[in-house]
Amino acid sequence: MRRNPAPVELEPVEAFCNTATFLHGEDELARPGTAGGWLRAHGYPEAVAPAELAALTEARETVRAFLVERTSREALDALNRLIHSVAGPPAVRPDGTLALRPADDGPPAAEIVRTVLEALLRDGLTGRHATRLKACAAPECRWVFYDRAPSSNGLWCDMDVCGARHKMRAYRARGGATARRDG
């Protein structure tokens, strides 16, 4: 149903953002049991306090909002606030890669968010992946996907679901306008 996964360097961002499937009303971070399973499966400590789950959910939606509209002043400000809250100034590791330093000895949720933000900042904003990690254009979906189209102009996570719904709505809107005009 969905597109192929993002390249390995962007998997942390894609996996984190897709812990919620709004189209089906599912959110893996909503309850400690499902959150623990997701955290364990992705190599994070699974014991996370409810307040940390709320912080993870807020971070996820901040990153997703940025991927929906990268040029939105509000989305940029929120992303910058998130980065500032979990990381100090960036550091360059001996191997030349970027690392975000902990702002303090924060909770495990902050380390998870730092991992996601490192991947986004290092690989999702510049270079060959700069415009390829996106959120579905359907407001009721917002699934994060990697756009592999040569022109990087994909809008929908799945053309058979979200794209088809959009086309059907547009068709009905055009048909309704024609019927009103003729009647």
Side-chain angles (χ1 to χ4, degrees):
M1 179 176 139
R2 304 281 183 190
R3 295 173 180 248
N4 289 331
V8 68
E9 57 269 24
L10 290 173
E11 280 179 5
V13 182
E14 185 180 54
F16 180 68
C17 288
N18 290 337
T19 55
T21 308
F22 296 133
L23 207 53
H24 303 294
E26 299 168 354
D27 186 348
E28 292 182 88
L29 300 179
R31 292 178 309 286
T34 56
W38 184 87
L39 293 166
R40 183 177 50 256
H42 289 85
Y44 299 117
E46 62 182 281
V48 177
E52 289 184 75
L53 290 179
L56 286 172
T57 300
E58 185 177 340
R60 176 191 66 209
E61 295 313 312
T62 298
V63 173
R64 191 190 309 252
F66 170 76
L67 293 173
V68 167
E69 185 56 59
R70 291 171 184 251
T71 59
S72 160
R73 176 73 25 258
E74 296 81 21
L76 288 168
D77 288 346
L79 184 65
N80 283 322
R81 281 191 304 274
L82 176 62
I83 293 167
H84 182 73
S85 73
V86 299
V92 177
R93 294 182 180 125
D95 66 358
T97 59
L98 174 70
L100 296 178
R101 296 185 215 165
D104 57 24
D105 288 336
E111 181 60 35
I112 296 164
V113 173
R114 257 191 312 280
T115 301
V116 170
L117 291 173
E118 275 184 14
L120 179 64
L121 297 175
R122 182 185 61 237
D123 299 307
L125 300 181
T126 60
R128 66 187 181 109
H129 302 302
T131 60
R132 301 223 175 244
L133 194 63
K134 302 175 178 182
C136 182
E140 66 276 7
C141 178
R142 296 298 189 221
W143 186 261
V144 172
F145 67 96
Y146 187 81
D147 184 3
R148 294 181 184 276
S151 59
S152 185
N153 64 349
L155 295 174
W156 318 109
C157 64
D158 188 334
M159 194 59 207
D160 292 337
V161 177
C162 293
R165 285 181 179 174
H166 172 75
K167 286 183 172 187
M168 184 55 72
R169 286 179 188 140
Y171 172 78
R172 287 180 180 150
R174 285 190 309 271
T178 303
R180 284 191 296 276
R181 215 179 14 240
D182 293 341

